[in-house]
Amino acid sequence: MARRLRTVGLEFTESAPIRLVFAAEVAAPPDVVYRALAEDVASWPSWFTAVTRATPTDGGAGREVRLRGGVRFRETIVAAEPGERYAYRVDETNAPGLRALVEEWRLTADGTGTRVQWTFAADGTGPFRSVLGLARLGMGRSFRDAVRRLDGRLTAPAA
């Protein structure tokens, strides 16, 4: 059963009670990485294995995402700055204990490649916070693996 979460804005990435921030470098330039994140939403499961399905909604203003384990999110895009930032707020979910969530992907040119920074900004019940604290290492590994696979997709020679 999906339930509505608290509506928060982009500033929540700085003020959330729980902020997990991960970063990695890729060889692809920022504009190419941005297109993969924001414009090729349906391809997310091919590189981010925690995601089983991602579908743009509302003419690209939102997304519906399913994760392994059955968690579902209905999201609203809160920042779409080509080559720089892509962020979304979760409006509805079936994840227990979650009260608010914004995820932000920041892209910074780094030589000929890109530094990708992912901020997971959340609020939730005490048990949710405890579980998320324990999940930090696994989330970091999942992020780094996903970015490595994305980079492989984006820099692979065309067949």
Side-chain angles (χ1 to χ4, degrees):
M1 182 88 174
R3 54 190 176 61
R4 273 230 36 99
L5 300 186
R6 187 169 84 241
T7 299
V8 292
L10 193 55
E11 72 285 348
F12 194 65
T13 60
E14 298 296 327
S15 64
I18 306 162
R19 291 181 69 248
L20 305 179
V21 181
F22 307 100
E25 281 74 33
V26 298
D31 60 321
V32 172
V33 177
Y34 178 85
R35 280 194 299 273
L37 291 172
E39 297 171 15
D40 194 10
V41 172
S43 76
W44 278 55
S46 69
W47 56 270
F48 206 139
T49 59
V51 177
T52 61
R53 184 170 173 222
T55 308
T57 61
D58 304 320
R63 306 177 344 152
E64 286 188 7
V65 175
R66 291 181 187 252
L67 303 180
R68 292 200 187 288
V71 173
R72 295 183 313 275
F73 297 127
R74 184 160 184 77
E75 303 167 342
T76 297
I77 308 305
V78 293
E81 301 167 23
E84 296 178 21
R85 174 166 53 175
Y86 182 63
Y88 40 88
R89 173 188 65 235
V90 173
D91 296 316
E92 294 178 15
T93 187
N94 64 342
L98 182 60
R99 293 182 179 144
L101 174 61
V102 173
E103 294 181 48
E104 177 189 53
W105 296 76
R106 280 199 172 265
L107 310 174
T108 308
D110 184 16
T112 58
T114 305
R115 180 176 190 272
V116 179
Q117 178 179 293
W118 176 47
T119 300
F120 184 93
D123 189 14
T125 62
F128 175 84
R129 290 181 189 198
S130 296
V131 167
L132 200 55
L134 295 171
R136 176 189 293 268
L137 288 176
M139 289 177 68
R141 189 174 324 113
S142 178
F143 165 77
R144 285 185 299 279
D145 290 347
V147 170
R148 187 178 64 248
R149 278 190 295 280
L150 176 62
D151 192 36
R153 273 179 59 99
L154 299 177
T155 58

